[in-house]
Each structure stands twice: as C-alpha cells, then as structure tokens.
Amino acid sequence: MTEIPGFDYRRIEGAEGVHLNVAVGGAGPAVVLLHGFPQTHLCWRDVAVELAQEHTVICPDLRGYGDSDKPEDTGETYSKRIMAADVVAVAKNLGFDRFALAGHDRGALVAIRAALDHPQTVTHLASLDVFTTLDMWDVMAGRAAAVGFHLYLMAQPPGLPELMINAVPDEFFGHFLDIWATSPLEYREIYLEKSRAAVTSIVADYRASAGIDVDHDQADRDAGNHLRMPVTVLQQDWGQAMTGQAVERWQAWAPDLEHRTVNCGHFMAEEDPATITQALKTLLKR
C-alpha cells in the first residue's frame, strides 16, 4: 500500500458509525486536507509532508472513496452535510475541536459545507478549483456545460449511471485524470484501482450534489449565512469572464476572501505542491 511518508494510518469513526481511512502526521494545530474526484488522500502527499513540520495534518479518504467505508446510499448518506460531519468527528476523535480545512474538488464541497455548518470548529478554509454546489449549477449552461457531462450523468436516478460506468470504469475515471492534468499523474493507476471499486458510492456522492446539497446551499443563501473564517480560493485560469464571475460569486459567500489563479492543471496539489503549500501557510497566518 502506498502511504504518505512519515504518517500513521488509522481507521477512525466519522458520522453514523462510518469509519474513514485516515493518514495523520506532524504535531501542532490541526489542518485537515480533503481530496477530490477521482482520487484519494494521496493527492495531498507533498503538501501534507511540508505542513506537518508545524501542524498536525489529517488526511482522510472521504466516505465512499479510497479505503474508507462505502455505506449504502439512503438518500442523505453522501450529502456534503453528512460527509462534513465525518470530518468533524474524525478530528474530534483525534483530540481536535478546532481545525483549519482545505479541500480540492469534491473535498472542497465537503469543506465548504463543514465551514457553513460548523463555523466555531473550522478556523480557516481553503477551496481548490470549484464553485459552491449552488453556484456550480448556476454557471453550467449551454455548450460550456459539456465539460461537466459527468455531473449530469451521475445526477440520474440509481441504475443507469452505475451500469454505464461499471462497463468501462478505467476509461471513465482515466478520462478525467488525463484531461484535467497538465502532465501524467504519478498515482494514476492507484486512483483507477480505488475508483473502480467505488463506482456506486462515487455516483451517490455526485447524485447528492444534484439534489440535497443544492437544497442545503440554497437554505444558507436564503438565510444570509456566510463563511465566517478567512477563506482562500485557488483556481485554474478559467478565462477572464469566468474568473471574474468566480470572484464575484465567492465574495457573496466569503467576506474575508483571498482569490488567486494558479498556473497548473486541476490537480494542483500534485502538479504544483510548492505553490499550494505556500498559499495554505499564508492562509493559516491570517
């Protein structure tokens, strides 16, 4: 099994009796790092090792991914609210009632929900290369939405999406690992292996983002809730018009916002770990 060097591995209970595979390293104030699709906690390996020099770094596989439990979906099982509760429970079981939180892609959606639901727990928030769930669906329109075809596929009722993806899992997940990266990913085969074994739960995660997650975001928007902690958003260069829209949309959620464009592909923690590490260090000092 490939592991983050110098980190201990544990199975730690999250919400509702679900256990997560968690890598823990370093000492000091806690920082939790959440991976995205279609990856595992290993995407943070270089960043995690650097941050562990001054922090306790906690890197879980999200429920439904990697070596974490993959419970059957009941409709809310893979809501970002429940997945965020996993993260809070894991940190608490490790002795931390407060922690900084960074997430990439799907992990960023979990991190955002954790910060909205647990503002006294999450001290700092970093979001890598996403909009909020609510804004994502607002932005996806017209021909530009073709890049997110997987969002629409996995939003369909249980049955067809799982059947289609299970027919060619390596081609499906490999498509995103290849087109979203600017260079081949070192752990591509590991990500394929873990995703191949998690089709049903990955689809359930995405299906939640077309339903219950939108409802939760809309409720926060209607109530005027904001992200109360310092927030850093890192994104690729999506073009001038889209980048401007991203900044405007993020400002509506995060009054204390630093928004930056980085010169790498979607898998930025692997493609440019030095830049991501420095951005997180800067955030933690705010």
Side-chain angles (χ1 to χ4, degrees), residues 149 239 282:
F149 77 92
T282 300

Side-chain angles (χ1 to χ4, degrees), residues 31-113:
V31 179
V32 180
L33 306 177
L34 303 179
H35 68 86
F37 162 90
Q39 298 173 290
T40 72
H41 73 283
L42 291 171
C43 73
W44 288 104
R45 59 195 179 278
D46 295 327
V47 175
V49 169
E50 288 297 315
L51 291 179
Q53 296 179 20
E54 297 180 354
H55 298 271
T56 299
V57 181
I58 303 167
C59 298
D61 287 335
L62 298 170
R63 70 161 59 194
Y65 289 79
D67 292 319
S68 289
D69 287 353
K70 301 169 180 63
E72 182 179 354
D73 185 25
T74 63
E76 297 186 10
T77 308
Y78 291 92
S79 72
K80 302 309 152 298
R81 174 157 288 161
I82 297 297
M83 295 173 81
D86 282 337
V87 176
V88 173
V90 164
K92 188 170 185 177
N93 284 331
L94 287 168
F96 296 97
D97 292 325
R98 287 167 58 80
F99 54 85
L101 185 53
H104 170 251
D105 190 83
R106 308 303 296 173
L109 302 181
V110 176
I112 294 163
R113 177 45 52 195

